[in-house]
Amino acid sequence: MDQKQLIEAMHLEIQSGEYIPLGGLEMVLPGSEIPEWFGDKGIGSSVTIQLPSNCLQLKGIAFCLVFLLPPPSQDMPYEVHDDFNVHLYLDYHVKCKNSEHDGDDEVVLHSQKSLLSQYLITTCDSDHMILHYELKLVNHLRKYSGNEVTFKFYWGQMQDHESRRPFELKSCGVYLHFDENLPADKKFKRKFWEI
C-alpha cells in the first residue's frame, strides 16, 4: 500500500467503530502533509483547540505530527546509520475564561504530562509523520466540553520534564472522533493492524 492508502486505511478503521486492539493505532511514514480529516492544525510543536460542547460523545482522539529528525546533540547523540528511539511526550492544558473577574483571566482547569508513545525510527533526511490514535485520553477530556485545550509535544529519553525538550515539529494536527462522524465504508474488509 502507498502512503495515501495507509492513511485512508487508518481513518476507515477509526471510523468503523469496531474494536481497536490495545486502545489505539499508530504508524510512522514519510510525508509532510497533514491529512485533511484533521480539522485542527498548528505550526510547530503545539496546537490549541476549542473543545466542542458535546465532548461526552467523544470516542477517540488522533494526532498527526510532521517532523524532521533533529541533528545529533550531546543530549541526544546518534550515528548516521543508527535507529533513533523517540519517546514522544504530550503535555496538555485545559483552560477557560474566568467569568468572575473582568473576563481576561484564564483559569487552568487541568494540566497533565504523559508518555504518548515511543517509536524506533531510522535516521532520515526527509519529512516524516507520526499518526497516533488513542481512546484513553478522551476519558480526561470529556468533562471539559466547551473549554480550550493546548497540546504540546516533546521528545526525549527520560520521563521527567527537565530531560525533555520540545519535539522539533514542522506541524501538528488534532482530530476529535465523535459518534456522529461519518461511518466507514463497510467494503473495507481488512483490519488496519493486518496491513
Side-chain angles (χ1 to χ4, degrees), residues 99-114:
S99 58
E100 295 176 9
H101 295 88
D102 53 12
D104 292 331
D105 295 334
E106 290 186 341
V107 176
V108 175
L109 298 174
H110 185 76
S111 183
Q112 182 168 329
K113 300 171 175 66
S114 60

